[in-house]
Amino acid sequence: METIIEVRDLTKIFMARRVKITAVDHVSFEIYKGEIFGMIGPNGAGKSTIFAMLTTLVRPTGGSIKVAGLDVNRNAEKIREIIGVVPQQHSLYPDLTARENLELMGNLYDVPKKIMEERIKYYLGLVNLKTHADRLTGGFSGGMKQRLSVISAVIHDPEIIFWDEPTTGLDPQTRQAIWKLALKFNKEGKTLIFTTHYMDEADKLCNRVAIMNAGKLMALDNPDSLKKASNSTSLEEVFIHLTGEEIRD
Amino acid sequence: MKMNLKTELRKSWIIMIKEFRQIIRKKAFMIPMFMFPIIMIIFFGYGMGGTVKNADILIVNDDTGTASGSIIREIGSFIPRYGDPRMFSVTYTKDLSQNEAERKIDAGLYKAVLIIPSDYSERVAKNESVTLTLLTDSSDTTSSGLIINFMRQLFSGTTGSHVLLKIPDIYGKLQYIDFLTPAVIALTVFFGTIQTMGYAIAGERQDGTLVRIMMTPVSRGAIILGKTLHQLVLQLARAVVLILAAIVLFGVTMNGSWLLVALVLIIFTFGAVGLGMAISAVSEDMLSFQAISMLVAFPSMFATGVFYPLSSAPDWMRWIAYIVPLTYANDAMRTIMIKGQGLGSIAHDLIILIFFGIFYFALGVYLFRREA
């Protein structure tokens, strides 16, 4: 399988009030082209920090990340051209309409006008927002915002989509719709990288799942193999088995 | 009903305690909140004292006799209020025409010029009426008014003879609004830029849209430039609207070049963008931003001679004014709009504003990049 993301010995150390905090501790893994890759872990496991480093927002303290063969430290802007990021916070401009939000993102990614117009029409239809295209997003519900946020991240047709907790706080219908979208993008050949707290989501969607704990990679395999290796019937059991029952801050 | 009221009060109490807990933990908000009233009292109390201190006056004494000596001594030694410094800092000269005197006022060298004619002593001795010419920098309407009042009182008390004061209007008939408008425009631009930069950075960071933009292939420089250009256009448009409104509604004088006004405001806005960016970068959220920006903006408003002339402010307040860019923007705006002066007369203000602009912008970019 072709590797699209290569993480080697990745480390991130933060200083918080003169105390060193190792958020990510010498982590290595690969993500293959066209797979759906999940990152799960309790709070403070380091998955959000890895997510931020993979999406070029935070620079690693040590180790290396290559996205489509490009080094994140040296080619951050080029990497941003080929990735799409759906942040946990919807991050839409409330004073712009749905269409204007999409146009803004399209323009920042230099999508040609005609193609952008076609994509906006197509994607708004895909996520059932066509009739709300010219409404200000400030008045949208959480589900509508999430759907719009997803399509604004793919308006430039990225090879890789990063998705930070895509269904947190959504109703079952919207969750189903988001999963369908994810599978559709994956079917089109895009690589998807998720972080999630929902084990059923990881089990259902992901080809492979990385389980993180206290900045370290505890396990990485497909959900069935993970379950088999720890004699568990669900991914949640595997998760508890590997990360413990202690509640994290 | 009684129980309900008790429950309601108890819950209100709980909410109130919660509100206090939240606000006490926001130190960046708490400190300025208690500092503002103190700052306002200090600045207004000292700044609007209603006196002029150490105002530079040039006395052109062409009098061949000695009668003018007592008048000059009185001008030089007058103390408006016990404990204050002298009202005037006097320089003497001879043989200076009214035109030359006006040029000295234009250049900002003197707040007033008093021209005593050669026959002053002779006419006073003969109990004849004599006319003195008093030129004042009426672009500073407050100081000018106080100086004129002082001179009128001084000469009304002159023994015997009838001393007349001729007071030509160098810049036309000016009112307080003429003095106020140029500085209010600069102040509005300053406040407006800092506030909108706050929403554009601290606000967007809070709602996550700034991070979203940073995940796109747009450089930090392009983000900063885009926001800066937006401010420059917005603030210039606001300034034009304000000037036109002041002209139409209050008949404010616009004696100078619109292009020079634009130049001053562009340079000034550039610095204010940097300052707004720096404050945004170090603010946790919008509430903290507003508190910190007010702490910066309020002293600028009261210490820089927007509402009253700096000449009436105590020395310590003037020292604050010297390190605040709004002082130089005010001066440049008044020099252009009231005095109708050109680039040469505002060059020193522009140089200082450019220096401040570069400093604040570099600081803002550095902090924004670091926080980003």
Side-chain angles (χ1 to χ4, degrees):
Chain A
M1 279 198 238
E2 190 186 337
T3 300
I4 197 158
I5 295 177
E6 189 185 330
V7 176
R8 285 278 161 268
D9 217 19
L10 186 65
T11 303
K12 182 68 197 179
I13 298 167
F14 290 109
M15 290 297 286
R17 295 183 182 183
R18 294 183 186 176
V19 177
K20 261 188 185 178
I21 296 169
T22 306
V24 178
D25 194 1
H26 297 91
V27 170
S28 299
F29 60 88
E30 283 107 29
I31 297 173
Y32 304 124
K33 190 172 183 175
E35 75 171 330
I36 301 182
F37 185 90
M39 277 195 284
I40 58 176
N43 292 334
K47 55 188 190 306
S48 292
T49 309
I50 291 182
F51 192 89
M53 287 191 281
L54 292 177
T55 55
T56 75
L57 268 185
V58 171
R59 284 172 82 93
T61 309
S64 68
I65 301 173
K66 280 188 176 167
V67 178
L70 300 164
D71 187 285
V72 285
N73 285 334
R74 273 174 272 163
N75 304 97
E77 273 182 41
K78 277 205 167 143
I79 291 171
R80 284 184 217 137
E81 286 172 15
I82 56 164
I83 65 171
V85 185
V86 188
Q88 194 184 345
Q89 214 177 344
H90 303 307
S91 311
L92 298 166
Y93 288 93
D95 302 321
L96 298 184
T97 65
R99 190 190 305 282
E100 286 166 344
N101 267 287
L102 292 170
E103 281 170 353
L104 171 71
M105 298 314 284
N107 286 328
L108 291 176
Y109 283 103
D110 291 321
V111 179
K113 199 168 183 253
K114 205 172 169 202
I115 296 174
M116 184 164 68
E117 279 170 7
E118 283 166 11
R119 283 190 194 155
I120 289 174
K121 200 173 162 190
Y122 169 71
Y123 281 130
L124 283 172
L126 189 71
V127 296
N128 281 330
L129 287 174
K130 215 172 204 169
T131 52
H132 304 283
D134 297 309
R135 268 184 61 197
L136 298 181
T137 59
F140 278 17
S141 69
M144 289 163 83
K145 282 180 183 167
Q146 179 66 333
R147 272 141 53 206
L148 183 62
S149 185
V150 171
I151 61 171
S152 71
V154 295
I155 199 77
H156 58 296
D157 195 24
E159 273 182 63
I160 309 164
I161 303 171
F162 289 91
W163 223 326
D164 196 7
E165 300 190 20
T167 59
T168 300
L170 297 180
D171 61 40
Q173 286 85 353
T174 312
R175 283 185 80 192
Q176 291 276 350
I178 296 291
W179 289 350
K180 272 186 197 166
L181 264 180
L183 291 169
K184 179 185 157 41
F185 291 142
N186 184 240
K187 212 172 171 185
E188 288 169 1
K190 297 184 194 307
T191 308
L192 269 74
I193 296 127
F194 276 101
T195 68
T196 183
H197 279 300
Y198 298 126
M199 298 301 126
D200 61 328
E201 190 165 81
D203 201 354
K204 194 166 185 164
L205 289 182
C206 299
N207 302 113
R208 290 192 307 146
V209 175
I211 301 177
M212 303 280 307
N213 190 35
K216 290 183 188 294
L217 180 64
M218 308 303 289
L220 170 59
D221 213 330
N222 65 61
D224 288 336
S225 300
L226 286 171
K227 283 183 257 180
K228 209 171 169 185
S230 59
N231 266 334
S232 305
T233 53
S234 70
L235 201 56
E236 189 151 333
E237 276 181 44
V238 180
F239 184 83
I240 298 290
H241 173 73
L242 288 171
T243 62
E245 290 182 358
E246 186 193 342
I247 295 172
R248 313 301 157 86
D249 295 326
Chain B
M1 186 67 192
K2 201 178 174 186
M3 268 308 287
N4 279 347
L5 183 64
K6 203 176 164 188
T7 311
E8 288 296 303
L9 286 174
R10 190 174 57 82
K11 288 188 176 169
S12 302
W13 176 259
I14 293 167
I15 298 287
M16 186 191 76
I17 296 296
K18 188 267 303 176
E19 295 291 331
F20 272 117
R21 275 198 182 129
Q22 281 179 301
I23 209 149
I24 284 166
R25 280 169 196 162
K26 287 194 181 295
K27 288 189 179 60
F29 180 73
M30 282 297 285
I31 296 168
M33 197 167 75
F34 286 97
M35 292 283 286
F36 282 151
I38 299 167
I39 290 171
M40 283 174 74
I41 285 170
I42 291 172
F43 281 109
F44 268 115
Y46 285 106
M48 295 189 102
T51 58
V52 176
K53 290 155 203 156
N54 288 320
D56 289 309
I57 185 168
L58 177 67
I59 297 181
V60 184
N61 191 3
D62 295 330
D63 183 23
T64 50
T66 54
S68 55
S70 62
I71 299 268
I72 290 171
R73 271 193 300 281
E74 201 159 338
I75 292 171
S77 61
F78 181 71
I79 293 169
R81 223 169 24 197
Y82 178 74
D84 275 355
R86 286 175 183 167
M87 186 169 184
F88 296 107
S89 170
V90 185
T91 309
Y92 304 96
T93 188
K94 272 180 176 287
D95 300 325
L96 192 77
S97 72
Q98 188 175 322
N99 281 345
E100 286 170 313
E102 281 181 16
R103 278 200 290 277
K104 287 193 184 291
I105 289 177
D106 271 347
L109 296 173
Y110 299 102
K111 281 279 170 196
V113 177
L114 181 69
I115 302 172
I116 305 172
S118 56
D119 56 353
Y120 179 82
S121 293
E122 193 185 326
R123 283 178 172 270
V124 167
K126 289 180 187 169
N127 274 349
E128 287 175 0
S129 72
V130 57
T131 304
L132 274 69
T133 306
L134 176 66
L135 302 168
T136 61
D137 180 359
S138 54
S139 67
D140 173 353
T141 49
T142 312
S143 295
S144 174
L146 289 168
I147 292 169
I148 290 169
N149 278 344
F150 165 77
M151 292 292 179
R152 280 193 174 133
Q153 278 176 17
L154 177 71
F155 290 111
S156 67
T158 311
T159 50
S161 67
H162 186 51
V163 178
L164 299 171
L165 263 185
K166 188 175 91 178
I167 308 169
D169 290 318
I170 302 181
Y171 306 119
K173 284 258 176 249
L174 295 177
Q175 296 172 315
Y176 181 60
I177 188 81
D178 292 292
F179 169 79
L180 201 61
T181 302
V184 165
I185 289 163
L187 179 73
T188 308
V189 165
F190 184 66
F191 264 40
T193 306
I194 289 180
Q195 283 304 315
T196 38
M197 278 311 283
Y199 285 108
I201 293 180
E204 287 194 7
R205 192 172 54 198
Q206 195 171 324
D207 67 24
T209 46
L210 187 63
V211 172
R212 184 75 193 84
I213 292 284
M214 284 178 176
M215 287 169 175
T216 66
V218 177
S219 68
R220 307 291 190 263
I223 295 171
I224 292 167
L225 183 65
K227 288 180 185 288
T228 306
L229 289 175
H230 159 248
Q231 284 302 323
L232 290 177
V233 174
L234 181 72
Q235 300 308 332
L236 277 181
R238 289 179 78 199
V240 169
V241 170
L242 260 169
I243 295 172
L244 289 177
I247 291 171
V248 172
L249 297 174
F250 302 107
V252 162
T253 319
M254 172 59 176
N255 290 327
S257 154
W258 284 88
L259 276 178
L260 275 184
V261 165
L263 179 70
V264 170
L265 292 180
I266 286 171
I267 294 168
F268 183 50
T269 305
F270 191 67
V273 164
L275 187 58
M277 201 155 36
I279 299 171
S280 293
V282 298
S283 304
E284 285 170 30
D285 49 27
M286 270 311 285
L287 198 61
S288 305
F289 169 82
Q290 277 159 353
I292 300 172
S293 64
M294 281 304 197
L295 194 62
V296 173
F298 264 81
S300 303
M301 187 158 111
F302 296 120
T304 58
V306 174
F307 301 107
Y308 42 80
L310 273 180
S311 51
S312 70
D315 286 346
W316 64 265
M317 206 189 283
R318 271 190 261 188
W319 280 109
I320 294 176
Y322 293 145
I323 57 165
V324 178
L326 185 58
T327 306
Y328 305 96
N330 288 345
D331 188 50
M333 290 291 285
R334 283 182 178 135
T335 306
I336 300 165
M337 285 183 65
I338 304 176
K339 294 185 178 179
Q341 297 291 298
L343 195 60
S345 300
I346 57 162
H348 64 289
D349 288 323
L350 283 183
I351 290 167
I352 295 168
L353 284 175
I354 289 169
F355 168 77
F356 274 121
I358 292 170
F359 173 75
Y360 282 132
F361 201 76
L363 179 72
V365 170
Y366 166 75
L367 290 173
F368 175 74
R369 281 176 178 271
R370 196 189 68 178
E371 295 303 312

